[in-house]
Amino acid sequence: MADNETYREGLEELADHYRRILQLMGEDPTREGLLKTPMRVAKAMQFLTQGYEQDAHEVLRGALFKENYSQMVIVKDIDFFSLCEHHMLPFYGKAHVAYIPNGYITGLSKIARVVDIYSHRLQVQERMTLQIKECIEQTLRPLGVMVVVEARHMCMQMRGVEKQNSITTTSEFSGAFNQAKTRQEFMNLLHDHL
């Protein structure tokens, strides 16, 4: 959301809460450097959680095309940023999505939009992976879907165990991807470089 865009209801109230949070942390929200911070954070939080206002199924349905193609379609290296629901700290990485059409395909950019919608909510990586898979499965009715998400979690890097180089990988699959051979084909294609 750019500054000229409209924001969701509750923006002022959200800013008031951040003003109070600054006070509770021992800061002075009236000092020059923090004067506009509560509103900036409120706007940022509305942007980072805009996925609650969007319907991922509708995005896919809006670009559904009848096509007699039944081989694997892969959209890989989809960058995403999300907020961990446990600490509200960022986690970020790449999502890789494959599906095998069953009479219908969707616009390739719509797969990335589905990832954006689910990542722009308070999340855990495991649920986000499942939600992406289920959305594609329920909307396109393909022969199979597989989603792999690789992410770095700031809650592990900035606090707690403070492990800077750890990456968490999650996967969900259904249909034709229940066969080890099909999953392996996806993984091989995922790691091939063009």
Side-chain angles (χ1 to χ4, degrees), residues 48-112:
L48 294 170
T49 60
Q50 66 185 336
Y52 289 118
E53 303 291 314
Q54 300 168 332
D55 184 342
H57 297 270
E58 194 56 44
V59 165
L60 288 181
R61 280 193 291 271
L64 204 58
F65 308 104
K66 190 155 183 56
E67 191 63 49
N68 189 26
Y69 182 80
S70 59
Q71 298 303 311
M72 198 178 302
V73 175
I74 301 174
V75 182
K76 63 182 184 176
D77 295 331
I78 303 167
D79 292 317
F80 75 88
F81 298 88
S82 192
L83 290 175
C84 161
E85 69 180 34
H86 299 143
H87 301 100
M88 290 180 68
L89 288 172
F91 69 97
Y92 62 95
K94 295 187 182 298
H96 316 285
V97 179
Y99 74 98
I100 300 173
N102 186 19
Y104 289 93
I105 60 171
T106 189
L108 299 176
S109 67
K110 303 309 178 193
I111 300 291

Side-chain angles (χ1 to χ4, degrees), residues 89-172:
L89 288 172
F91 69 97
Y92 62 95
K94 295 187 182 298
H96 316 285
V97 179
Y99 74 98
I100 300 173
N102 186 19
Y104 289 93
I105 60 171
T106 189
L108 299 176
S109 67
K110 303 309 178 193
I111 300 291
R113 289 278 297 123
V114 168
V115 172
D116 281 348
I117 288 169
Y118 288 115
S119 67
H120 280 87
R121 300 176 181 185
L122 296 181
Q123 276 291 10
V124 295
Q125 183 175 334
E126 297 86 345
R127 181 189 320 117
M128 186 180 89
T129 306
L130 177 62
Q131 287 173 331
I132 294 165
K133 192 256 322 173
E134 286 181 341
C135 177
I136 294 166
E137 188 174 50
Q138 293 165 4
T139 308
L140 297 181
R141 305 273 184 218
L143 298 175
V145 181
M146 185 161 179
V147 177
V148 174
V149 175
E150 302 169 306
R152 294 181 182 274
H153 292 252
M154 297 308 281
C155 58
M156 283 183 65
Q157 294 179 332
M158 295 174 65
R159 55 161 303 284
V161 295
E162 295 185 54
K163 298 302 176 204
Q164 306 307 313
N165 298 308
S166 65
I167 295 174
T168 302
T169 302
T170 51
S171 67
E172 279 288 342

